[in-house]
Amino acid sequence: MHFLVQTKPYPDEALESYLLRLARDNSYDGYSELADILWQWLAEQDHELEGALPLELSKVDVYHARQASSFRIRALKLVGKLADVNAGDILALAWRRSNFKFGNLAAVSRNELTIPLELLRTDSIPVCIKCLSESSCIPFYWHLKPYKACHKHKAQLTTRCKECHNLIDYRASEAFLECGCGYKLTNSEKLNDADFKIAIALAGNNSQKIVGLISWFAKVKQLDVSDVDFNRAFVNYFSTWPESLTVELNLLTNNARLKQLNPFNKTKFNSVYGDLIRDGQIAATSNRKNKVLDEIINYFVELVDSNPKAKHPNIADVLLCTFDAAVLLNTTTEQVYRLHQEGFLNCAYPQKKHEQLRADSHVFYLRQVIELQQAFAAEKPQIKKQFIAPW
């Protein structure tokens, strides 16, 4: 078997788009017809590959495969061979699962771009009519939830069919300029300036810097990235960064002083600032930089400096859990245990013999953790610090 028309992928093309073009160029009605033929052919070539390529275009990307991802990779390589396409070129179009974590959020990678999995669209893919009129190709960034306007044509993406009012998804219709109902797509939506700014960032070389921030902002503000006004709220918030964060933290600090019930050296950090530090990890980039955590640390450095150690405990003496202490120190919880055992960090409560501190145990003073954090120089590139050598 060999494709008569050897369709070449575009560098910024989505995998689903390429497979649909490959099918159309070779006179198949769509991907589903091609997939049915490929299913049988792959099984003949390698019995392990039976079902490795799904019949649904929306499920074809590698990250959908989970345990069978290695078979999906092998199948895509064989498809590339049939199309006379280098295996690396076709795999470069796929989103693959990554070991990197945005806090507790799973990640996927495409070439050098790593993003939280939750930022990938699942139910629909909006399109730019002008782009499709110039080239029948879906770029991968149209698959990103925050990408809502075309950065090339300064036009809002078309999200719904004017005829049936359903959400547009070329993977379901297997057509680029037509809805599943057969109606030709048109666009009359007014450009949103915030959407355009985000689109430029996501399609540019600095996209890595913004994807974690978007997920962090959605989490802490309890917003849906797909909401119409999300990008505007995001742009407004970061237009005054870091003052926007400082104002919020000052409010939490002042409320803690006004509503204080227990001495601060017996008050849990989370009861004052919530999941501030844990959530801050979401804003990371794949090269370990995190502007949110940097500003959080800067804030608490200033808080400790402006609230020196005194006879009576103050806000700088609140208790961190082991996990949050590890995040602020850019190290592991095991290293925090060692720092405690070696006398670098005092425990707020006496520990029983051989007692193992839990990650959620609020036992370390914010003051001591911040002072210890300042005692060690920042590493470049940023990696997990090892304060004390292994046993």
Side-chain angles (χ1 to χ4, degrees), residues 255-273:
N255 282 343
R257 288 180 173 130
L258 290 173
K259 300 176 181 179
Q260 180 184 359
L261 297 176
N262 299 315
F264 279 121
N265 63 347
K266 298 184 184 300
T267 300
K268 295 181 179 180
F269 177 92
N270 288 3
S271 69
V272 178
Y273 298 102

Side-chain angles (χ1 to χ4, degrees), residues 222-277:
Q222 297 185 335
L223 299 174
D224 188 338
V225 180
S226 299
D227 287 348
V228 174
D229 294 326
F230 177 85
N231 285 349
R232 182 177 287 110
F234 178 85
V235 169
N236 289 341
Y237 185 84
F238 280 95
S239 65
T240 58
W241 182 267
E243 288 77 12
S244 50
L245 177 65
T246 302
V247 168
E248 293 174 349
L249 295 183
N250 281 338
L251 181 61
L252 294 175
T253 300
N254 292 333
N255 282 343
R257 288 180 173 130
L258 290 173
K259 300 176 181 179
Q260 180 184 359
L261 297 176
N262 299 315
F264 279 121
N265 63 347
K266 298 184 184 300
T267 300
K268 295 181 179 180
F269 177 92
N270 288 3
S271 69
V272 178
Y273 298 102
D275 293 328
L276 174 70
I277 296 174

Side-chain angles (χ1 to χ4, degrees), residues 22-174:
L22 180 64
R24 290 294 175 86
D25 288 351
N26 285 277
S27 301
Y28 294 102
D29 287 339
Y31 168 78
S32 54
E33 183 181 358
L34 172 62
D36 190 45
I37 295 172
L38 285 175
W39 182 299
Q40 301 175 39
W41 182 81
L42 288 171
E44 292 172 0
Q45 302 301 307
D46 185 340
H47 70 90
E48 290 183 328
L49 296 185
E50 185 174 2
L53 277 183
L55 299 179
E56 294 179 64
L57 187 57
S58 61
K59 300 296 184 184
V60 77
D61 215 332
V62 174
Y63 77 92
H64 288 295
R66 301 192 182 222
Q67 293 91 342
S69 56
S70 59
F71 297 147
R72 183 73 52 90
I73 291 289
R74 195 190 307 173
L76 287 173
K77 285 181 178 180
L78 286 175
V79 171
K81 189 174 182 180
L82 297 179
D84 195 26
V85 173
N86 183 279
D89 291 340
I90 193 170
L91 293 182
L93 306 181
W95 288 105
R96 289 173 273 182
R97 292 184 178 272
S98 171
N99 288 329
F100 184 77
K101 293 281 188 179
F102 290 88
N104 61 347
L105 301 180
V108 289
S109 292
R110 185 187 193 274
N111 291 334
E112 296 180 358
L113 176 61
T114 302
I115 69 167
L117 176 59
E118 65 173 19
L119 292 189
L120 282 182
R121 289 185 166 108
T122 55
D123 300 329
S124 64
I125 308 294
V127 298
C128 173
I129 306 300
K130 293 181 180 179
C131 282
L132 291 178
S133 298
E134 296 170 359
S135 174
S136 295
C137 163
I138 303 291
F140 75 90
Y141 37 78
W142 290 4
H143 284 244
L144 303 180
K145 289 180 182 179
Y147 191 95
K148 301 173 184 178
C150 177
H151 71 285
K152 295 180 179 178
H153 297 101
K154 294 190 71 171
Q156 206 72 14
L157 296 187
T158 301
T159 58
R160 289 185 180 274
C161 172
K162 297 286 191 300
E163 180 69 15
C164 66
H165 306 294
N166 288 334
L167 290 170
I168 294 167
D169 190 348
Y170 75 95
R171 301 167 305 178
S173 65
E174 296 198 359

